[in-house]
Amino acid sequence: MEAVVSTQSTWEAVVSTQSTWKQWYQRRVHGQTDDEDAPAAEAAPATRTTPNPNRVYIGNVSFDTTKEDLVAFMEKAGKIVKSTIPYNEKRGQIRGYALFEFETQEEAQKAVDELHDEELDGRKMLIREDKGKVRRKRKPRPNRNKTRGAEKTEVDTSTDL
C-alpha cells in the first residue's frame, strides 16, 4: 500500500513540474501569464501625432533630384516655412520622400491640388496632406543578458612564470 502512495506522490510531483515548465514556457516564449487561456501580450496599436494642416508629404521623389530642385518645385504653391528632406549621406541621395510646411493652410492645399501628379525629374510626384507621425509602442524584449542556470564564475587566465 505504501508503494502505491509513494508512486502517486511521485506522479503528482512529475505533473506539478510539468505544469511549472509549461507556465515558464508560456511566459518566456509566448508572453502569457499564469492563466492558460490568456492571449499573448500584443504590442499596443500604433498612434499618430496631431497632423499639421500647413504641412504636406511628398513621395515618389527621384533619388537623382537635388534638394534645390525639390524646393524650387514646391515653391510654386507658396512660401515654404520649413522643409524636411531626408538625405542618405552614404549614397549622396535623397531618400525618396520629403515634408514641406507652408505659411498657410491654403498654400498647403494649393500644393496638393496643383502639384500632385506633376512631373519632376521624370517621376510623378505624390503630394498629400500631412497625416502625422506614426508612433508605435513595441512590446519590450526580454533581457537576454541574464545567465541561465549556474552563476558565472571568473576564470583566472593570467600566466605567472
Side-chain angles (χ1 to χ4, degrees):
M1 186 81 174
E2 288 180 30
V4 173
V5 172
S6 64
T7 305
Q8 187 174 6
S9 64
T10 305
W11 176 251
E12 288 172 356
V14 169
V15 170
S16 69
T17 304
Q18 286 178 344
S19 67
T20 305
W21 277 101
K22 183 178 180 183
Q23 290 168 354
W24 174 86
Y25 180 79
Q26 287 173 339
R27 280 193 311 271
R28 179 79 175 166
V29 177
H30 298 294
Q32 290 184 352
T33 59
D34 291 338
D35 182 13
E36 292 181 15
D37 297 329
E42 296 293 327
T47 59
R48 289 187 181 269
T49 60
T50 306
N52 183 345
N54 296 355
R55 189 167 43 196
V56 294
Y57 167 86
I58 297 91
N60 200 31
V61 179
S62 171
F63 296 134
D64 298 328
T65 302
T66 64
K67 291 181 180 184
E68 294 78 20
D69 290 342
L70 191 55
V71 169
F73 177 78
M74 293 306 293
E75 282 180 336
K76 295 177 189 176
K79 184 174 181 188
I80 297 170
V81 176
K82 180 181 175 185
S83 65
T84 305
I85 305 171
Y87 191 75
N88 187 336
E89 297 287 335
K90 197 181 277 187
R91 293 182 179 168
Q93 299 173 333
I94 291 176
R95 290 197 177 182
Y97 69 97
L99 292 164
F100 283 90
E101 187 174 333
F102 290 93
E103 212 169 49
T104 65
Q105 188 174 355
E106 290 77 24
E107 290 174 336
Q109 190 59 47
K110 181 180 175 184
V112 172
D113 294 339
E114 294 180 7
L115 299 178
H116 178 68
D117 283 339
E118 289 291 316
E119 269 196 33
L120 178 65
D121 291 337
R123 298 185 79 161
K124 287 187 176 182
M125 296 292 100
L126 167 79
I127 301 177
R128 63 168 170 76
E129 63 278 348
D130 178 41
K131 293 184 178 179
K133 184 177 180 179
V134 175
R135 290 187 179 167
R136 292 181 177 90
K137 293 183 181 178
R138 295 190 170 98
K139 185 172 81 170
R141 295 183 66 191
N143 186 358
R144 296 174 191 250
N145 294 331
K146 292 182 181 177
T147 59
R148 293 183 188 165
E151 292 287 325
K152 281 189 175 179
T153 57
E154 291 187 22
V155 177
D156 185 16
T157 58
S158 62
T159 56
D160 292 330
L161 297 175

